[in-house]
Amino acid sequence: MALKDYPHTPDGRYFVAAGKLWRCSDPRLTPEGRKALTKKLMEARRKVKEVQTSEDKLRRARRAVNAAKEALGERGPVWWTDGAPDETMKDPANSSYAEWWASLSDEERIRGRTSPRGK
């Protein structure tokens, strides 16, 4: 399932997958900037898979994944400026988005419970 197929909060800060809120990329990124950072992220993720037998290389690869995620705005300091806390990894039913989540159709909530990795 593509990212666009998961339910997104009305404010655009999160999408719901595997029953949890996941922070979206910073919308202030240019399409070119987002594409370049996504390419770095995918390269770093491939590297993580390649270097499973070397603890030192694996640590470096994971740091590269984290750096790319932070540059995209998906980790680290939040990209919004209204002081709202980060609710990443929360069940939407137990978050400030509970009312929105309850208003979704059964089909939308099922999509939000689906894992992005097919697990």
Side-chain angles (χ1 to χ4, degrees):
M1 188 167 0
L3 179 63
K4 67 177 175 49
D5 296 327
Y6 291 99
H8 285 69
T9 59
D11 57 15
R13 292 177 182 169
Y14 301 95
F15 67 95
V16 181
K20 296 180 181 174
L21 294 166
W22 298 92
R23 198 183 322 166
C24 293
S25 298
D26 187 339
R28 297 171 297 187
L29 292 170
T30 65
E32 298 81 17
R34 184 183 331 277
K35 185 176 180 178
L37 290 169
T38 301
K39 182 178 178 182
K40 283 185 180 185
L41 174 61
M42 295 299 102
E43 288 170 356
R45 284 181 170 164
R46 280 191 295 275
K47 193 68 164 177
V48 166
K49 286 184 180 185
E50 288 174 20
V51 297
Q52 291 294 313
T53 58
S54 170
E55 211 172 295
D56 188 50
K57 290 179 181 177
L58 182 57
R59 198 174 304 114
R60 282 196 304 268
R62 286 182 174 156
R63 278 197 301 263
V65 168
N66 193 62
K69 298 280 282 173
E70 285 188 10
L72 283 162
E74 297 172 8
R75 290 188 185 156
V78 297
W79 44 261
W80 50 89
T81 59
D82 64 2
D86 186 6
E87 297 192 71
T88 301
M89 299 287 292
K90 281 190 174 183
D91 179 329
N94 297 321
S95 73
S96 65
Y97 297 97
E99 191 174 313
W100 162 78
W101 180 248
S103 76
L104 297 180
S105 69
D106 289 343
E107 181 183 318
E108 290 171 307
R109 285 195 306 277
I110 288 168
R111 284 198 320 258
R113 290 187 189 105
T114 304
S115 173
R117 295 189 178 141
K119 294 180 184 174

